[in-house]
């Protein structure tokens, strides 16, 4: 007996399209255990023993690697101008190949406006200057001696999901391309307030211009209020030193704020009285609205979710039991609720949230589902603790100029065909 | 030690603790050690160096160092053409950005992509002048300097809403 053999007529439905009550999780797990016990004894005796159970294995190694059979689990590389400007490069996390909530460090997304620098940690330093009582510089060696904090937070590029935002027809690609400029990490580092207080911020110092040590010295103006409340100088990700892609040896972390502000390879914090309108806050990270005006300093990311299992480019393995699973997050704090629809939005059922639900962090949701083999559309819709609800695509598009692809957080519908193909669609 | 001295010492300790909860291992930073890219030219022109450049001078530098990415005349692209309107990028720098000072600072710190920080101050002024002139924002003969650049009135200047000032960290 397999889960797919469970009699559909006996199931407790939560909404249309085959969404099941969350109690179904326990019931089906119990059924699986019972089935395992019922295997006939003869089958065990005759089972073929695989070769890896009959030889000595490989020796220990200094740094682990994924299983060889998983070598296809890679970031999707996007190079918008690969011939003329290859250093402007991105890579997206393959969410459809991962479960849980923490993104493996080697699969964390990248966006580099000028390429990934090769930094000598012994020569790198952090400068703190401008409207402060004591301009200071810190070596990595000195920073390592500071008290550190650990927190799990998502990072999302303001341009995440850009293809869904602007392409006239839905692009058929995986979650790595469609929503991959999003990752979730356990960060460890020094509260920025500790360093700022050591330098002594003057009362007129209301903003900080952070700059990286990369070729273009990417710079952003950051409100002092944010920096002092939960800003972090991150030195470690998921327990190890930052990867070069993530700003080795140090980066700024501003929980919930658009990725571009979390300056990588951080080398300078310049305290000023007002924002300085850097290139990124003047042009690239502003959004043109439907009326032609623009919004700027739209720092926090909105409430958002998408289903990772199943998702586009996947193929269903026949009718029967599945667990729908996906990710939800909000820059405004915690996710309050995620609803799932299996009938294109006609009815919704509340999904289970895997705890702990952390602020400004990815939260995994799930709901059991019995697919009867007919075509339908799956969707997820997140609500955050401020009451903000993920919008439909048409509502999001109506707010903005047609060219805008930033801060796209609309509902993601996945169409499942009668053949079991999962496709990206607009609804 | 008198009661007065003890009290004074205790007050000093408290002040030090309030100032920094960390070990205080930052080293004094001399102003001469701060590279230009650790600051940014402000919209009022603060931070602009001496120097000068015209659109005609900028055109030559542009053709040699910028056209391969941004297009022959600045509006073709493929990469974020700075001259508008164009069919590639809705936010051409010389027309969309609220302040002209950003052009100078960004060009000087980040361009060209393969050799950032290689341009002289005069070259950065000249390129800013070329982009502004191509967008019809300044006259062809007006040299850009520490005085003239911040005085340029950008056409899209009054067309932005500051969301942080309006609603803080609440997502827009």
């Amino acid at each position: 007996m397999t889960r797919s053999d469970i009699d559909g007529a006996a199931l407790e439905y939560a909404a249309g399209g085959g969404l099941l009550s969350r109690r179904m999780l326990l019931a089906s797990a119990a059924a699986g255990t019972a089935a395992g016990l019922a295997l006939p004894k003869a089958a065990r005796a005759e089972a073929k023993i695989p070769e890896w159970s009959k030889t000595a294995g490989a020796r220990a190694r200094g740094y682990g690697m994924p299983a060889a059979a998983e070598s296809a689990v890679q970031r999707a590389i996007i190079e918008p101008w690969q011939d003329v400007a290859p250093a402007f490069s991105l890579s997206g996390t393959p969410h459809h190949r991962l479960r849980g909530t923490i993104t493996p460090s080697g699969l964390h997304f990248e966006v580099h406006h000028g390429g990934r620098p090769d930094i000598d940690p012994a020569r790198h330093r952090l400068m703190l200057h401008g409207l402060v009582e004591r301009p200071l510089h810190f070596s990595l060696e000195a920073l390592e001696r500071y008290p550190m904090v650990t927190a799990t937070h998502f990072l999302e590029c303001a341009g995440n999901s850009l293809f869904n935002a602007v392409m006239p027809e839905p692009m058929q690609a995986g979650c790595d391309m469609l929503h991959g400029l999003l990752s979730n990490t356990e960060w460890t580092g020094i509260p920025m307030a500790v360093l700022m207080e050591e330098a002594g911020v003057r009362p007129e110092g209301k903003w900080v211009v952070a700059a990286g040590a990369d070729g273009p010295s990417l710079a952003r103006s950051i409100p002092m209020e944010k920096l002092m409340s939960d800003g972090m100088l991150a030195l470690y990700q998921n327990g190890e030193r930052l990867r070069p892609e993530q700003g080795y040896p140090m980066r700024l972390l501003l929980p919930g704020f658009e990725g571009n502000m979390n300056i990588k390879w951080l080398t300078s914090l310049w305290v000023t009285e007002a924002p300085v309108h850097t290139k990124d806050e003047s042009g690239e990270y502003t959004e043109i609205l439907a009326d032609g005006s623009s919004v700027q300093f739209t720092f926090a990311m909105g409430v958002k979710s998408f289903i990772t299992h199943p998702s586009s480019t996947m193929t269903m393995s026949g009718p029967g039991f599945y667990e729908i699973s996906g990710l939800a997050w909000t820059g405004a704090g915690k996710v309050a609720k995620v609803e799932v629809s299996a009938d294109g939005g006609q009815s919704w059922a509340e999904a289970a949230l895997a705890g702990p639900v952390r602020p400004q962090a990815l939260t995994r949701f799930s709901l059991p589902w019995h697919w009867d083999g007919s075509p339908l559309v799956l969707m997820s819709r997140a609500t955050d603790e401020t009451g903000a609800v993920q919008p439909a695509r048409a509502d999001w598009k109506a707010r903005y100029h047609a060219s805008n692809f930033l801060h796209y957080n609309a509902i993601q519908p996945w169409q499942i065909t009668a053949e079991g193909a999962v496709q990206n669609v607009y609804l | 030690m008198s009661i007065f001295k003890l009290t004074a010492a205790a007050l000093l300790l408290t002040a030090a603790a309030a100032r920094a909860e960390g070990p205080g291992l930052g080293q004094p930073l001399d102003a001469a050690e701060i590279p230009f890219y650790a600051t940014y030219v402000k919209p009022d022109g603060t931070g602009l160096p001496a120097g000068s450049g015209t659109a005609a001078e900028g055109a030559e530098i542009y053709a040699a160092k910028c056209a391969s990415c941004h297009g022959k005349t600045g509006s073709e692209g493929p990469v974020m053409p700075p001259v508008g309107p164009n069919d590639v990028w809705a936010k051409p720098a010389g027309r969309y950005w609220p302040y002209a000072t950003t052009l100078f600072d960004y060009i000087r710190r980040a361009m060209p992509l393969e050799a950032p920080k290689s341009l002289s101050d005069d070259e950065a002024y000249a390129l800013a002048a070329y982009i502004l002139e191509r967008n019809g924002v300044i006259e062809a003969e007006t040299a850009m300097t520490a005085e003239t650049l911040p005085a340029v009135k950008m056409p899209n200047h009054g067309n932005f809403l500051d969301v942080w000032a309006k609603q803080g960290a609440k997502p827009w």
Side-chain angles (χ1 to χ4, degrees):
Chain A
M1 180 184 173
T2 69
R3 291 183 183 189
S4 298
D5 298 328
I6 295 168
D7 179 9
L11 299 172
E12 187 183 342
Y13 289 96
L19 294 179
L20 300 172
S21 160
R22 281 184 273 160
R23 283 187 291 275
M24 183 61 207
L25 283 169
L26 292 172
S28 58
T33 307
L37 287 172
L39 273 175
K41 279 186 179 175
R44 290 186 181 172
E46 291 167 13
K48 188 169 188 288
I49 299 173
E51 59 277 17
W52 52 79
S53 295
K54 297 193 287 186
T55 61
R59 298 167 67 180
R61 54 186 172 185
Y63 202 99
M65 294 292 289
E70 298 296 318
S71 61
V73 182
Q74 299 273 329
R75 293 181 284 217
I77 295 170
I78 307 168
E79 292 177 337
W81 304 288
Q82 55 182 305
D83 295 332
V84 294
F88 196 117
S89 53
L90 308 78
S91 71
T93 297
H95 290 291
H96 57 306
R97 310 297 294 269
L98 305 173
R99 291 264 189 163
T101 55
I102 296 291
T103 308
S105 299
L107 295 175
H108 192 295
F109 84 90
E110 311 157 85
V111 177
H112 310 313
H113 288 195
R116 180 184 68 246
D118 182 16
I119 291 178
D120 175 358
R123 288 172 55 204
H124 182 86
R125 64 180 189 170
L126 178 67
M127 296 174 279
L128 225 168
H129 55 114
L131 297 172
V132 295
E133 299 297 336
R134 295 166 291 279
L136 297 172
H137 69 91
F138 301 86
S139 66
L140 183 61
E141 189 183 15
L143 291 167
E144 277 287 323
R145 292 167 59 184
Y146 277 69
M148 295 192 200
V149 293
T150 294
T152 299
H153 291 299
F154 77 82
L155 268 187
E156 185 183 19
C157 174
N160 189 29
S161 316
L162 76 157
F163 298 116
N164 274 357
V166 293
M167 287 189 71
E169 297 297 327
M171 185 169 85
Q172 296 309 323
C175 290
D176 47 356
M177 293 289 282
L178 294 176
H179 305 296
L181 304 182
L182 163 81
S183 300
N184 198 51
T185 292
E186 185 194 85
W187 305 99
T188 299
I190 304 163
M192 205 52 88
V194 169
L195 301 176
M196 300 306 291
E197 284 169 14
E198 186 173 327
V201 177
R202 293 186 185 159
E204 63 271 31
K206 301 296 185 194
W207 289 73
V208 175
V209 181
D214 51 328
S217 304
L218 181 77
R220 288 294 303 261
S221 304
I222 292 146
M224 184 65 75
E225 186 183 334
K226 175 67 176 178
L227 209 64
M228 298 300 272
S229 63
D230 61 356
M232 184 201 287
L233 180 72
L235 301 170
Y236 292 83
Q237 63 177 130
N238 298 327
E240 66 180 0
R241 278 287 183 81
L242 294 186
R243 295 284 174 107
E245 296 97 309
Q246 298 312 318
Y248 179 84
M250 61 189 72
R251 79 175 304 163
L252 183 57
L253 192 77
L254 302 170
F257 278 21
E258 60 188 21
N260 179 265
M261 299 180 73
N262 296 255
I263 302 285
K264 295 185 287 193
W265 315 295
L266 185 69
T267 189
S268 169
L269 293 166
W270 179 46
V271 180
T272 69
E273 73 286 345
V276 294
H277 296 270
T278 71
K279 159 264 198 180
D280 285 79
E281 58 216 29
S282 291
E284 278 181 69
Y285 294 89
T286 56
E287 296 89 67
I288 306 178
L289 302 177
D291 68 1
S293 68
S294 290
V295 286
Q296 60 181 170
F297 307 131
T298 53
F299 299 145
M301 300 305 291
V303 63
K304 191 168 173 180
S305 72
F306 64 98
I307 295 169
T308 58
H309 297 80
S311 60
S312 65
T313 68
M314 289 181 172
T315 305
M316 306 293 291
S317 52
F321 182 88
Y322 292 90
E323 182 181 67
I324 292 171
S325 180
L327 295 166
W329 68 100
T330 171
K334 292 180 183 175
V335 171
K337 179 172 75 171
V338 180
E339 298 159 290
V340 171
S341 174
D343 53 15
Q346 294 176 59
S347 65
W348 298 84
E350 196 167 335
L353 303 183
V357 178
R358 296 184 170 97
Q360 286 97 21
L362 295 191
T363 297
R364 187 160 285 280
F365 63 87
S366 61
L367 195 63
W369 174 46
H370 182 267
W371 181 48
D372 67 6
S374 58
L376 50 78
V377 173
L378 291 178
M379 309 157 80
S380 65
R381 178 175 69 187
T383 302
D384 71 21
E385 61 182 343
T386 72
V389 184
Q390 206 178 345
R393 184 173 186 274
D395 294 335
W396 186 90
K397 288 292 286 181
R399 293 183 75 185
Y400 294 101
H401 185 264
S403 69
N404 181 50
F405 58 87
L406 298 169
H407 287 256
Y408 181 84
N409 69 329
I411 289 170
Q412 169 66 68
W414 302 125
Q415 173 178 267
I416 298 180
T417 68
E419 294 74 36
V422 189
Q423 298 172 339
N424 183 25
V425 289
Y426 293 160
L427 271 192
Chain B
M1 191 179 275
S2 72
I3 290 291
F4 175 78
K5 278 183 177 171
L6 273 174
T7 311
L11 279 173
L12 274 175
L13 278 172
T14 310
R19 192 170 72 220
E21 292 168 34
L25 296 168
Q27 296 295 308
L29 175 65
D30 191 280
E33 294 179 272
I34 302 171
F36 78 85
Y37 58 81
T39 61
Y40 217 94
V41 175
K42 293 180 180 175
D44 68 2
T46 306
L48 280 171
S52 173
T54 64
E57 291 160 352
E60 283 185 40
I61 306 161
Y62 181 90
K65 300 185 174 180
C66 319
S68 60
C69 282
H70 295 303
K72 193 163 179 264
T73 69
S75 57
E76 301 87 350
V79 185
M80 299 175 186
V83 178
N86 63 68
D87 299 329
V88 182
W89 181 235
K91 303 168 185 170
R95 182 168 296 220
Y96 178 82
W97 293 3
Y99 297 103
T101 49
T102 308
L103 278 169
F104 175 90
D105 193 303
Y106 182 65
I107 291 167
R108 185 175 60 152
R109 73 171 50 223
M111 291 289 111
L113 188 67
E114 297 301 326
K117 303 175 183 66
S118 64
L119 297 168
S120 69
D121 292 344
D122 285 346
E123 287 175 314
Y125 275 122
L127 285 167
Y130 174 71
I131 292 167
L132 291 167
E133 192 276 328
R134 287 281 302 132
N135 280 283
V137 178
I138 64 168
E139 301 296 326
E141 62 275 12
T142 311
M144 289 295 103
T145 67
E147 288 73 40
T148 58
L149 185 68
V152 172
K153 177 81 174 168
M154 296 294 279
N156 201 38
H157 173 80
N159 209 17
F160 289 87
L161 173 71
D162 180 343
V163 169
W164 175 260
K166 181 176 183 287
Q167 62 190 52
K170 184 176 185 288
W172 171 248

